[in-house]
Amino acid sequence: MADFKDSLDEFIRFESVKDVRDRNAVLPIGTLPTELLLSIFNLVLFTPQGQRPKSFVSTIIKLRAVSWSWRDLIGRTPSFWTHISPEDGSGFVSEALEMSDNTPLHIRHIGPYTDGRESQFLDKVLPHSHRWESVTIHRPNADAAARYFTVPAPTIKAILLSRLPGGVPQPGGLARFGGGLEYLEELRIAWCPGVDWGGLGCTQLRVLEIVGESPLDMDAVLNILAANPSLEVLRLHYVKFAPYARRESTLGPTTLHNLKELSLMDMRHLNEERHSGGDGATAHILQRIQFRPGIAFNMRTGLHTDFRSSLERHLSLIPSPVVALTRLSQIDGFQRADVYADLGDNTIGFKIEEGSRSSPVFSIEMLGLPEQVAYDWTMAALGEATKIPISLQLRFSYFESQFSLDQAFHFQLWESVNDLVLHGSLLTPPETGPKLLRLLSTPCMSEDGTMVMPFPRLQNLHLGWIWGINAEGILAMVRARFAPPGSTEDAIYSAVPAPLTIHCHRKVEGWTPRYTEEILATTGVERFEHAEKKPNGDRDVLLQLGTKSNDDWPPT
């Protein structure tokens, strides 16, 4: 009975699809030119980066069901069948291998699977390894991981490996793919031990990404860079370098003229004393390569106490954010750049974004940097970019050190400051809150002699654990800040501040609904919010440094 029901269901589906195709054959959409249809199918089936989305198989099945002509066109286009995965099912994989003819294949193996489909998949794709153009492997089972390295793939252009159980099989490693990797353009390895970095023979790399390797040989990495002058993207994240001699190289730095993105995040080197010298590896890489100004640059590092004497040298290696801002402003359609600066607790965070971009064009985070040095660097970086439209968000966070209003109010005349975040802790003195409210409502003189309120273009004020702030004080501050000029002379020489939204991230003392009504009734106050939030030392509200690749690699 069950077999009869399955046969009946299959017959109904077939007849339903047949009827739909027959009806759609006479619709105007069936008369579209073949070239236009192929372009539409490409947009539907693949991401802008040429990757297949999770809905790939279901989408291609639906497109083929629309009409007989669409089914025929998709079947006659090998490039639509070149992206395959174990999750596609045995029948689809077999059909794809046949339909793709001799077109290069893209294998995407995102495990783990527990139902045996990995072995079935490999049985089908391993005989086609001569067609592999890219292989993406994440969390396969141990047997599947080993089998990938048993066949040659002499024309492979992209290898993405993440969390292989047992690492890359040895001996041979990546070289087992064959061909000396002479066509390899993209190599991205994440949390995958056992890579023989000294044995790579590639010379055409455009993308090199190494994540979580330990220990990593510094000379091997530098040799790869020297052998691949056309490199466009270099990402070294969470790597620990094996002990190496800090010697001056007799060779000049490697020039990477085509480099578009450089990302150095949480790199360390392990010395004989087993200490992690935070800035040594980062500085060494920056000294050994040269690249054109204005590339996308991301860096996060901690400064070890042994290296404080080399602060000036280290900071001089960091590309200028002004150059990044200038290049960004030259892009067609540019309106303004979003700039974020985070200071306090011997930390500096600095990030530049442009709204339409998915990743920062410039970002750094340095831990252990003396506060005055961090402040001076930020002032210099922003002070040179006065002619470029920016929206500046300033954050001053003091979770472990004394809160300083003086540093924040050094920026009080900057019209670019749209957001101000002030975050204290249980250590913040109780007089800080009243002093802050008084300063925010006290006019100061600008460079052109105009009396203005501090931060005249401020639109969002975030207050977190600033003691001594109460509802009455906030009401007095906004009334004074937005009070109309008292005379004709005042009207000429006073500038009206921008409308303001206030966010208090702890319960406001003495708050009642009446105060909320009066604060919101004050002309110039857009919104007032307050909510209890415990201080946890979390700095990630402002800065999300680093880059995430467009295809979300490696998967979580």
PDB file of all heavy atoms in Angstrom, residues 19-40:
ATOM      1  N   ASP A  19       1.615  20.084 -16.336  1.00  0.00           N
ATOM      2  CA  ASP A  19       0.558  21.051 -16.639  1.00  0.00           C
ATOM      3  C   ASP A  19       1.065  22.483 -16.497  1.00  0.00           C
ATOM      4  O   ASP A  19       0.745  23.352 -17.316  1.00  0.00           O
ATOM      5  CB  ASP A  19      -0.640  20.825 -15.713  1.00  0.00           C
ATOM      6  CG  ASP A  19      -1.383  19.536 -16.033  1.00  0.00           C
ATOM      7  OD1 ASP A  19      -1.189  19.019 -17.158  1.00  0.00           O
ATOM      8  OD2 ASP A  19      -2.140  19.067 -15.173  1.00  0.00           O
ATOM      9  N   VAL A  20       1.845  22.747 -15.444  1.00  0.00           N
ATOM     10  CA  VAL A  20       2.388  24.102 -15.235  1.00  0.00           C
ATOM     11  C   VAL A  20       3.301  24.485 -16.387  1.00  0.00           C
ATOM     12  O   VAL A  20       3.231  25.606 -16.915  1.00  0.00           O
ATOM     13  CB  VAL A  20       3.143  24.172 -13.889  1.00  0.00           C
ATOM     14  CG1 VAL A  20       3.921  25.483 -13.787  1.00  0.00           C
ATOM     15  CG2 VAL A  20       2.176  24.047 -12.728  1.00  0.00           C
ATOM     16  N   ARG A  21       4.151  23.564 -16.804  1.00  0.00           N
ATOM     17  CA  ARG A  21       5.060  23.867 -17.906  1.00  0.00           C
ATOM     18  C   ARG A  21       4.296  24.134 -19.194  1.00  0.00           C
ATOM     19  O   ARG A  21       4.637  25.040 -19.962  1.00  0.00           O
ATOM     20  CB  ARG A  21       6.033  22.704 -18.114  1.00  0.00           C
ATOM     21  CG  ARG A  21       7.101  22.579 -17.035  1.00  0.00           C
ATOM     22  CD  ARG A  21       7.921  21.330 -17.229  1.00  0.00           C
ATOM     23  NE  ARG A  21       8.988  21.218 -16.240  1.00  0.00           N
ATOM     24  CZ  ARG A  21       9.563  20.085 -15.910  1.00  0.00           C
ATOM     25  NH1 ARG A  21       9.179  18.950 -16.492  1.00  0.00           N
ATOM     26  NH2 ARG A  21      10.527  20.056 -15.013  1.00  0.00           N
ATOM     27  N   ASP A  22       3.264  23.361 -19.438  1.00  0.00           N
ATOM     28  CA  ASP A  22       2.472  23.559 -20.649  1.00  0.00           C
ATOM     29  C   ASP A  22       1.803  24.931 -20.645  1.00  0.00           C
ATOM     30  O   ASP A  22       1.763  25.619 -21.677  1.00  0.00           O
ATOM     31  CB  ASP A  22       1.413  22.459 -20.769  1.00  0.00           C
ATOM     32  CG  ASP A  22       2.037  21.104 -21.113  1.00  0.00           C
ATOM     33  OD1 ASP A  22       3.173  21.088 -21.630  1.00  0.00           O
ATOM     34  OD2 ASP A  22       1.370  20.071 -20.859  1.00  0.00           O
ATOM     35  N   ARG A  23       1.253  25.341 -19.485  1.00  0.00           N
ATOM     36  CA  ARG A  23       0.587  26.643 -19.400  1.00  0.00           C
ATOM     37  C   ARG A  23       1.592  27.777 -19.549  1.00  0.00           C
ATOM     38  O   ARG A  23       1.345  28.765 -20.237  1.00  0.00           O
ATOM     39  CB  ARG A  23      -0.156  26.784 -18.074  1.00  0.00           C
ATOM     40  CG  ARG A  23      -1.385  25.897 -17.933  1.00  0.00           C
ATOM     41  CD  ARG A  23      -2.289  26.407 -16.813  1.00  0.00           C
ATOM     42  NE  ARG A  23      -1.579  26.548 -15.543  1.00  0.00           N
ATOM     43  CZ  ARG A  23      -1.469  25.577 -14.652  1.00  0.00           C
ATOM     44  NH1 ARG A  23      -2.006  24.386 -14.892  1.00  0.00           N
ATOM     45  NH2 ARG A  23      -0.821  25.784 -13.518  1.00  0.00           N
ATOM     46  N   ASN A  24       2.739  27.646 -18.887  1.00  0.00           N
ATOM     47  CA  ASN A  24       3.730  28.727 -18.912  1.00  0.00           C
ATOM     48  C   ASN A  24       4.396  28.887 -20.261  1.00  0.00           C
ATOM     49  O   ASN A  24       4.976  29.937 -20.558  1.00  0.00           O
ATOM     50  CB  ASN A  24       4.810  28.469 -17.848  1.00  0.00           C
ATOM     51  CG  ASN A  24       4.276  28.657 -16.444  1.00  0.00           C
ATOM     52  OD1 ASN A  24       3.232  29.281 -16.232  1.00  0.00           O
ATOM     53  ND2 ASN A  24       5.001  28.123 -15.459  1.00  0.00           N
ATOM     54  N   ALA A  25       4.333  27.850 -21.090  1.00  0.00           N
ATOM     55  CA  ALA A  25       4.989  27.910 -22.401  1.00  0.00           C
ATOM     56  C   ALA A  25       4.418  29.004 -23.282  1.00  0.00           C
ATOM     57  O   ALA A  25       5.104  29.504 -24.184  1.00  0.00           O
ATOM     58  CB  ALA A  25       4.885  26.557 -23.101  1.00  0.00           C
ATOM     59  N   VAL A  26       3.165  29.402 -23.047  1.00  0.00           N
ATOM     60  CA  VAL A  26       2.526  30.409 -23.886  1.00  0.00           C
ATOM     61  C   VAL A  26       2.571  31.797 -23.260  1.00  0.00           C
ATOM     62  O   VAL A  26       2.055  32.758 -23.842  1.00  0.00           O
ATOM     63  CB  VAL A  26       1.059  30.016 -24.160  1.00  0.00           C
ATOM     64  CG1 VAL A  26       0.986  28.702 -24.917  1.00  0.00           C
ATOM     65  CG2 VAL A  26       0.258  29.937 -22.859  1.00  0.00           C
ATOM     66  N   LEU A  27       3.175  31.933 -22.086  1.00  0.00           N
ATOM     67  CA  LEU A  27       3.266  33.242 -21.439  1.00  0.00           C
ATOM     68  C   LEU A  27       4.357  34.092 -22.098  1.00  0.00           C
ATOM     69  O   LEU A  27       5.331  33.559 -22.659  1.00  0.00           O
ATOM     70  CB  LEU A  27       3.578  33.078 -19.948  1.00  0.00           C
ATOM     71  CG  LEU A  27       2.480  32.399 -19.103  1.00  0.00           C
ATOM     72  CD1 LEU A  27       2.963  32.246 -17.657  1.00  0.00           C
ATOM     73  CD2 LEU A  27       1.182  33.195 -19.154  1.00  0.00           C
ATOM     74  N   PRO A  28       4.236  35.437 -22.024  1.00  0.00           N
ATOM     75  CA  PRO A  28       5.242  36.318 -22.648  1.00  0.00           C
ATOM     76  C   PRO A  28       6.651  36.101 -22.122  1.00  0.00           C
ATOM     77  O   PRO A  28       7.622  36.303 -22.844  1.00  0.00           O
ATOM     78  CB  PRO A  28       4.738  37.725 -22.290  1.00  0.00           C
ATOM     79  CG  PRO A  28       3.267  37.565 -22.088  1.00  0.00           C
ATOM     80  CD  PRO A  28       3.081  36.197 -21.508  1.00  0.00           C
ATOM     81  N   ILE A  29       6.770  35.668 -20.848  1.00  0.00           N
ATOM     82  CA  ILE A  29       8.106  35.477 -20.293  1.00  0.00           C
ATOM     83  C   ILE A  29       8.886  34.407 -21.045  1.00  0.00           C
ATOM     84  O   ILE A  29      10.115  34.395 -21.063  1.00  0.00           O
ATOM     85  CB  ILE A  29       8.004  35.106 -18.793  1.00  0.00           C
ATOM     86  CG1 ILE A  29       9.390  35.261 -18.128  1.00  0.00           C
ATOM     87  CG2 ILE A  29       7.473  33.689 -18.602  1.00  0.00           C
ATOM     88  CD1 ILE A  29       9.365  35.102 -16.642  1.00  0.00           C
ATOM     89  N   GLY A  30       8.170  33.515 -21.731  1.00  0.00           N
ATOM     90  CA  GLY A  30       8.826  32.475 -22.507  1.00  0.00           C
ATOM     91  C   GLY A  30       9.493  32.990 -23.762  1.00  0.00           C
ATOM     92  O   GLY A  30      10.245  32.262 -24.406  1.00  0.00           O
ATOM     93  N   THR A  31       9.230  34.243 -24.131  1.00  0.00           N
ATOM     94  CA  THR A  31       9.818  34.818 -25.349  1.00  0.00           C
ATOM     95  C   THR A  31      11.069  35.640 -25.068  1.00  0.00           C
ATOM     96  O   THR A  31      11.619  36.245 -25.991  1.00  0.00           O
ATOM     97  CB  THR A  31       8.779  35.700 -26.053  1.00  0.00           C
ATOM     98  OG1 THR A  31       8.424  36.805 -25.201  1.00  0.00           O
ATOM     99  CG2 THR A  31       7.528  34.902 -26.381  1.00  0.00           C
ATOM    100  N   LEU A  32      11.498  35.716 -23.805  1.00  0.00           N
ATOM    101  CA  LEU A  32      12.695  36.493 -23.477  1.00  0.00           C
ATOM    102  C   LEU A  32      13.911  35.914 -24.192  1.00  0.00           C
ATOM    103  O   LEU A  32      14.042  34.690 -24.323  1.00  0.00           O
ATOM    104  CB  LEU A  32      12.937  36.494 -21.969  1.00  0.00           C
ATOM    105  CG  LEU A  32      11.942  37.277 -21.104  1.00  0.00           C
ATOM    106  CD1 LEU A  32      12.268  37.081 -19.631  1.00  0.00           C
ATOM    107  CD2 LEU A  32      11.963  38.753 -21.459  1.00  0.00           C
ATOM    108  N   PRO A  33      14.835  36.774 -24.627  1.00  0.00           N
ATOM    109  CA  PRO A  33      16.061  36.282 -25.281  1.00  0.00           C
ATOM    110  C   PRO A  33      16.859  35.375 -24.348  1.00  0.00           C
ATOM    111  O   PRO A  33      16.878  35.574 -23.133  1.00  0.00           O
ATOM    112  CB  PRO A  33      16.834  37.570 -25.592  1.00  0.00           C
ATOM    113  CG  PRO A  33      15.807  38.658 -25.595  1.00  0.00           C
ATOM    114  CD  PRO A  33      14.766  38.244 -24.609  1.00  0.00           C
ATOM    115  N   THR A  34      17.521  34.407 -24.939  1.00  0.00           N
ATOM    116  CA  THR A  34      18.288  33.438 -24.160  1.00  0.00           C
ATOM    117  C   THR A  34      19.348  34.125 -23.297  1.00  0.00           C
ATOM    118  O   THR A  34      19.539  33.770 -22.117  1.00  0.00           O
ATOM    119  CB  THR A  34      18.965  32.427 -25.099  1.00  0.00           C
ATOM    120  OG1 THR A  34      17.957  31.730 -25.826  1.00  0.00           O
ATOM    121  CG2 THR A  34      19.810  31.437 -24.305  1.00  0.00           C
ATOM    122  N   GLU A  35      20.061  35.119 -23.854  1.00  0.00           N
ATOM    123  CA  GLU A  35      21.122  35.798 -23.100  1.00  0.00           C
ATOM    124  C   GLU A  35      20.559  36.482 -21.868  1.00  0.00           C
ATOM    125  O   GLU A  35      21.178  36.461 -20.788  1.00  0.00           O
ATOM    126  CB  GLU A  35      21.837  36.833 -23.984  1.00  0.00           C
ATOM    127  CG  GLU A  35      22.621  36.237 -25.141  1.00  0.00           C
ATOM    128  CD  GLU A  35      21.706  35.835 -26.307  1.00  0.00           C
ATOM    129  OE1 GLU A  35      20.500  36.164 -26.250  1.00  0.00           O
ATOM    130  OE2 GLU A  35      22.197  35.178 -27.249  1.00  0.00           O
ATOM    131  N   LEU A  36      19.368  37.076 -21.998  1.00  0.00           N
ATOM    132  CA  LEU A  36      18.756  37.743 -20.856  1.00  0.00           C
ATOM    133  C   LEU A  36      18.321  36.737 -19.799  1.00  0.00           C
ATOM    134  O   LEU A  36      18.508  36.951 -18.595  1.00  0.00           O
ATOM    135  CB  LEU A  36      17.555  38.578 -21.319  1.00  0.00           C
ATOM    136  CG  LEU A  36      16.786  39.341 -20.231  1.00  0.00           C
ATOM    137  CD1 LEU A  36      17.715  40.273 -19.470  1.00  0.00           C
ATOM    138  CD2 LEU A  36      15.627  40.119 -20.842  1.00  0.00           C
ATOM    139  N   LEU A  37      17.740  35.635 -20.241  1.00  0.00           N
ATOM    140  CA  LEU A  37      17.331  34.598 -19.299  1.00  0.00           C
ATOM    141  C   LEU A  37      18.535  34.044 -18.530  1.00  0.00           C
ATOM    142  O   LEU A  37      18.468  33.838 -17.304  1.00  0.00           O
ATOM    143  CB  LEU A  37      16.633  33.452 -20.040  1.00  0.00           C
ATOM    144  CG  LEU A  37      15.141  33.614 -20.311  1.00  0.00           C
ATOM    145  CD1 LEU A  37      14.630  32.452 -21.135  1.00  0.00           C
ATOM    146  CD2 LEU A  37      14.357  33.720 -19.007  1.00  0.00           C
ATOM    147  N   LEU A  38      19.648  33.803 -19.220  1.00  0.00           N
ATOM    148  CA  LEU A  38      20.841  33.291 -18.547  1.00  0.00           C
ATOM    149  C   LEU A  38      21.342  34.272 -17.495  1.00  0.00           C
ATOM    150  O   LEU A  38      21.772  33.869 -16.397  1.00  0.00           O
ATOM    151  CB  LEU A  38      21.933  33.001 -19.569  1.00  0.00           C
ATOM    152  CG  LEU A  38      21.684  31.809 -20.499  1.00  0.00           C
ATOM    153  CD1 LEU A  38      22.785  31.706 -21.550  1.00  0.00           C
ATOM    154  CD2 LEU A  38      21.600  30.509 -19.699  1.00  0.00           C
ATOM    155  N   SER A  39      21.288  35.551 -17.805  1.00  0.00           N
ATOM    156  CA  SER A  39      21.714  36.561 -16.827  1.00  0.00           C
ATOM    157  C   SER A  39      20.793  36.556 -15.610  1.00  0.00           C
ATOM    158  O   SER A  39      21.255  36.656 -14.460  1.00  0.00           O
ATOM    159  CB  SER A  39      21.722  37.954 -17.476  1.00  0.00           C
ATOM    160  OG  SER A  39      22.651  38.024 -18.528  1.00  0.00           O
ATOM    161  N   ILE A  40      19.487  36.422 -15.850  1.00  0.00           N
ATOM    162  CA  ILE A  40      18.525  36.384 -14.750  1.00  0.00           C
ATOM    163  C   ILE A  40      18.754  35.149 -13.887  1.00  0.00           C
ATOM    164  O   ILE A  40      18.767  35.220 -12.653  1.00  0.00           O
ATOM    165  CB  ILE A  40      17.088  36.412 -15.289  1.00  0.00           C
ATOM    166  CG1 ILE A  40      16.799  37.760 -15.973  1.00  0.00           C
ATOM    167  CG2 ILE A  40      16.074  36.148 -14.180  1.00  0.00           C
ATOM    168  CD1 ILE A  40      15.462  37.810 -16.685  1.00  0.00           C
TER     169      ILE A  40
END
